[in-house]
Amino acid sequence: MKKFAFVAVMAIVAAAFFGCGKSAPKANLKSDVDSLSYAIGMASTYNLNKGMLAQQLDLDTAYMDEMAKGMLDAFTSKENKKERAYYIGVLLGMQYGQQYEGYSRMVFGEDSTKNLSANNYIVGIMANLLGKSDVFKDAEDAGMNADRLLNQVKKSLYADVLKEGEAFQAKYGSQEGVGKIDCSVKVGNDDVKGTVLYKILKVGNGPVPTDTSKVNVHYEGKLINDTVFDSSIKRGEPVKMNVNQVVPGFKEALTHMPVGSKWEVVIPQQLAYGGNPQPGSPIKPFSTLIFTIELLGIEK
């Protein structure tokens, strides 16, 4: 899980409150101290503008005067500890609120009707700040459990994708001429087992790459519903890639293919992207993937 850089956020948000716009209050410069205060305030935001505030803090710039008022209230609340605590909570809420939205998208994708529990998210934050939790030992323990729970929740949400992929693999694997590569690989801290299925579309007789090789390939990747998500073939230009920098199932196929070969490969989800496909990709969590791979050569 991401760690919160408190000092950096304090600097960003404090600087944000000094932004100026059409509705900013007028300066009242009656002395050198007044002018110095104004100069420091303006200089401290030299790398900030209201467009950045709108983007980073979701600020509606039509209310710049309200932002200035809020900043002044926060300044003058220094002696009122209760008010001070509230404004710190607002500051933290702005930052953690953005993270909360990001984590919700991580779990539910682009379905804006679903979110994590905001209340429990905040209670979890407070448990760490107070050093008191009835659920986890500490933030590190919570982080490890969050990874486990994230995978568990996603498997429930995308159970249909997982089931359809397994059914497709079973049907594909029963076809005549389909080869199988049983493998066990290390993915993160986990030992993952799976079977890569393949059909030989073109026989090659060149050398076979190792997992440290750099190869030149043409490929096309698609989902089991035939949706193409990436294709060097359509781009008309082969790709040079390191064998050990692709998803495990793709790597297993490459290390069994002689140069000159062209295979159709079916990769089970645990040897592809698992529950964590690239954001914005048409690949859903736990998707079975199909690749057409043509191995053109091994780079020297």
Side-chain angles (χ1 to χ4, degrees):
M1 303 293 284
K2 294 181 180 178
K3 294 184 177 179
F4 176 60
F6 181 80
V7 175
V9 172
M10 284 289 289
I12 290 172
V13 177
F17 284 149
F18 281 96
C20 59
K22 292 180 180 179
S23 57
K26 296 287 186 180
N28 185 16
L29 308 179
K30 295 182 177 180
S31 69
D32 286 344
V33 172
D34 291 337
S35 297
L36 175 62
S37 303
Y38 181 89
I40 291 174
M42 188 168 182
S44 68
T45 57
Y46 75 95
N47 62 345
L48 193 67
N49 57 61
K50 65 180 182 180
M52 293 171 62
L53 301 184
Q55 182 179 9
Q56 295 177 7
L57 302 176
D58 197 25
L59 171 69
D60 186 335
T61 56
Y63 298 101
M64 297 295 284
D65 53 344
E66 291 298 320
M67 186 192 73
K69 180 183 176 183
M71 184 199 67
L72 187 59
D73 286 347
F75 277 13
T76 57
S77 71
K78 187 175 181 180
E79 301 304 321
N80 188 322
K81 293 183 179 180
K82 184 177 179 180
E83 281 189 1
R84 192 73 173 172
Y86 176 81
Y87 285 119
I88 290 172
V90 171
L91 183 153
L92 294 176
M94 292 169 67
Q95 171 66 19
Y96 281 113
Q98 291 181 331
Q99 290 189 3
Y100 164 80
E101 292 174 0
Y103 288 134
S104 290
R105 286 194 297 272
M106 183 189 298
V107 177
F108 301 107
E110 299 305 315
D111 186 349
S112 60
T113 65
K114 296 179 180 178
N115 288 290
L116 296 172
S117 165
N119 181 69
N120 286 309
Y121 184 84
I122 293 170
V123 172
I125 290 171
M126 294 305 298
N128 181 59
L129 293 177
L130 295 171
K132 185 184 297 184
S133 171
D134 297 328
V135 184
F136 304 116
K137 290 186 297 183
D138 51 30
E140 183 177 358
D141 182 41
M144 290 189 292
N145 276 279
D147 290 337
R148 174 184 60 80
L149 289 165
L150 175 62
N151 196 56
Q152 187 173 308
V153 169
K154 280 188 171 183
K155 277 191 173 180
S156 177
L157 289 170
Y158 296 97
D160 56 335
V161 176
L162 192 57
K163 185 176 180 180
E164 288 168 4
E166 290 172 347
F168 179 88
Q169 293 167 51
K171 184 177 180 180
Y172 189 95
S174 67
Q175 296 178 26
E176 187 177 348
V178 172
K180 299 180 180 181
I181 304 171
D182 294 319
C183 53
S184 178
V185 298
K186 197 83 171 176
V187 178
N189 295 321
D190 300 323
D191 293 315
V192 177
K193 294 182 179 181
T195 300
V196 175
L197 306 173
Y198 66 93
K199 290 180 182 177
I200 299 177
L201 306 179
K202 177 184 173 184
V203 176
N205 54 14
V208 177
T210 68
D211 59 4
T212 60
S213 298
K214 185 174 184 178
V215 296
N216 189 22
V217 301
H218 248 326
Y219 70 91
E220 180 169 272
K222 63 182 181 179
L223 307 178
I224 61 173
N225 65 3
D226 289 330
T227 298
V228 175
F229 58 83
D230 192 12
S231 177
S232 71
I233 297 170
K234 286 188 175 181
R235 292 192 294 270
E237 185 175 350
V239 175
K240 292 180 174 62
M241 59 177 65
N242 294 314
V243 172
N244 59 7
Q245 291 182 350
V246 295
V247 296
F250 201 108
K251 181 181 82 170
E252 288 298 320
L254 284 174
T255 54
H256 287 77
M257 293 177 66
V259 170
S261 299
K262 185 176 182 180
W263 287 12
E264 180 178 73
V265 179
V266 174
I267 301 177
Q269 59 84 19
Q270 70 270 29
L271 297 177
Y273 294 103
N276 301 293
Q278 296 175 346
S281 165
I283 303 172
K284 292 182 179 180
F286 308 111
S287 290
T288 294
L289 304 182
I290 306 167
F291 283 95
T292 300
I293 307 171
E294 184 174 10
L295 181 56
L296 303 175
I298 301 174
E299 300 293 300
K300 294 182 179 180

